[in-house]
Amino acid sequence: MAPKLSESVHGLRAAGNQSFRNGQFSEAATLYSRALQLMKAQGTSDLEEESVLYSNRAACYFKDGNCRDCIKDCTSALALVPFSMKPLLRRASAYEALEKYPLAYVDYKTVLQIDDSVKAALEGINSWKPPGYPACLSRMTRALMNSLGPEWRLKLPSIPLVPVSAQKRWDSLPSENHKEKAKSKSKETTTSKNKVPSAGDVERARVLKEEGNELVKKGNHKKAIEKYSESLSFSNLESATYSNRALCYLVLKQYKEAVKDCTEALKLDGKNVKALYRRAQAYKALKDYKSSFADISSLLQIEPRNGPAQKLKQEVNQKLN
């Protein structure tokens, strides 16, 4: 005889988790449903808990091959807590299983804005190159090219820009998944640094960067960030791509992100004047006047007659005094 379940949301979720681990997906889905019903009956308002229950039930549906209900539950989970990793990944997998490749691609790209080391998302959208062989298209890129043609990127739905607050929320989670993320992030960073992009990757990166530049000219900085980010996923060796994306972050007042991109740009080209100037602007906005002054001074050693830099130096100097 099965033990009596604790009629609490926490107890039902724990029992559902155990059933899922035992491969009893239908039973687990029933337990998560009971937990959701109990929350509704009690009038409990816990968005995180409710989102997790929907996401967990979605995993059960996916395991049982019910992709449509999986997508529905993931969407409900994301409505409660936007940009949550697990429902995004589960929905992407379900979309892919239903051959809704543009929607799957958008979810995978959204995940990589939150954590660029997630293996499932990386394998879904990035090209890969076995040793001794030419670069191969990812399963997603191949499917999109087959269904939408060579201009498939222009036909995709808009990829949402993940706010820094959502990234910080993920970074602060003390879960086992986060520990795994930290390990995998370190490994991926090492791999990325050692990877030499193919000629095809470099060309795709160049085209995407140019598309980003055109969007900047039109004032569409959010969309430009997406293009620059996609460009960097093909080749992260172009200093100008980082400094261009930094400009967009500055316009959107995401100053910490601008500092990060300028720093990456300067690692690749220590004399990138635009990166020095934009990082100085970002530091000034963050009220880190000493760092801002240091960057302007470095810039003026390279270009002593740079008018905007001279003006910025005067402004920062006033703040220091």
Side-chain angles (χ1 to χ4, degrees):
M1 182 177 175
K4 186 177 179 180
L5 295 173
S6 170
E7 284 299 320
S8 68
V9 172
H10 178 76
L12 289 165
R13 176 154 75 102
N17 293 349
Q18 186 58 52
S19 293
F20 187 90
R21 284 192 289 270
N22 293 339
Q24 298 168 316
F25 306 122
S26 179
E27 180 181 314
T30 299
L31 289 164
Y32 295 137
S33 296
R34 283 171 59 185
L36 285 164
Q37 289 166 4
L38 185 58
M39 285 190 77
K40 186 175 180 180
Q42 293 176 342
T44 307
S45 180
D46 186 337
L47 300 183
E48 291 275 356
E49 179 70 23
E50 192 176 354
S51 178
V52 168
L53 287 167
Y54 276 117
S55 178
N56 287 3
R57 191 172 68 176
C60 300
Y61 289 144
F62 185 75
K63 288 288 188 180
D64 280 338
N66 184 354
C67 292
R68 284 181 171 80
D69 280 341
C70 172
I71 290 167
K72 185 178 177 181
D73 268 9
C74 288
T75 302
S76 295
L78 290 163
L80 293 163
V81 182
F83 304 111
S84 297
M85 292 277 290
K86 286 184 178 180
L88 277 169
L89 280 169
R90 288 166 183 164
R91 191 171 69 177
S93 297
Y95 277 141
E96 191 173 359
L98 292 174
E99 298 185 1
K100 295 185 177 183
Y101 299 119
L103 295 172
Y105 186 90
V106 167
D107 277 351
Y108 281 136
K109 290 293 287 186
T110 304
V111 166
L112 291 174
Q113 289 183 65
I114 304 167
D115 176 8
D116 61 6
S117 68
V118 176
K119 187 177 179 183
L122 286 166
E123 289 180 349
I125 67 170
N126 286 339
S127 301
W128 58 285
K129 185 179 184 300
Y133 288 84
C136 302
L137 294 175
S138 72
R139 63 176 187 266
M140 188 66 60
T141 304
R142 196 162 49 242
L144 286 165
M145 287 187 70
N146 289 339
S147 61
L148 300 179
E151 299 297 318
W152 60 270
R153 284 192 183 85
L154 302 176
K155 301 174 185 178
L156 290 176
S158 178
I159 298 170
L161 179 67
V162 178
V164 175
S165 58
Q167 298 175 37
K168 286 179 179 176
R169 183 184 72 227
W170 169 250
D171 287 340
S172 67
L173 291 177
S175 64
E176 288 182 15
N177 284 338
H178 181 54
K179 290 175 188 173
E180 280 302 310
K181 177 240 178 189
K183 280 195 238 172
S184 117
K185 175 95 175 172
S186 174
K187 182 179 177 183
E188 182 61 32
T189 300
T190 305
T191 305
S192 177
K193 284 181 179 176
N194 293 334
K195 180 187 173 185
V196 177
S198 68
D201 287 340
V202 171
E203 176 59 20
R204 282 191 287 273
R206 185 193 65 78
V207 171
L208 286 162
K209 185 185 82 169
E210 291 302 321
E211 290 176 8
N213 293 348
E214 289 302 314
L215 287 164
V216 168
K217 291 175 185 176
K218 295 175 183 176
N220 193 342
H221 295 93
K222 288 185 178 180
K223 192 71 177 176
I225 286 174
E226 294 172 15
K227 291 294 181 182
Y228 292 137
S229 299
E230 194 171 357
S231 172
L232 290 165
S233 74
F234 285 107
S235 173
N236 60 358
L237 303 179
E238 180 68 45
S239 178
T241 308
Y242 282 109
S243 58
N244 288 2
R245 190 171 66 176
L247 170 64
C248 299
Y249 284 132
L250 274 173
V251 172
L252 297 172
K253 298 183 179 180
Q254 294 179 8
Y255 301 120
K256 290 183 180 178
E257 298 304 312
V259 168
K260 287 179 186 176
D261 268 6
C262 289
T263 301
E264 290 300 320
L266 290 164
K267 285 178 184 176
L268 293 165
D269 178 6
K271 294 185 177 181
N272 185 329
V273 171
K274 289 181 179 179
L276 283 166
Y277 183 71
R278 288 165 187 168
R279 191 168 68 174
Q281 288 179 301
Y283 277 138
K284 182 190 172 202
L286 293 167
K287 298 184 179 179
D288 184 352
Y289 301 121
K290 287 184 179 179
S291 296
S292 180
F293 190 84
D295 276 348
I296 302 165
S297 299
S298 297
L299 189 163
L300 289 171
Q301 286 179 4
I302 301 167
E303 290 187 5
R305 297 183 180 180
N306 188 306
Q310 290 173 345
K311 182 181 178 183
L312 184 59
K313 185 177 181 180
Q314 289 175 354
E315 293 172 0
V316 173
N317 206 22
Q318 287 175 356
K319 296 290 183 180
L320 287 169
N321 298 328

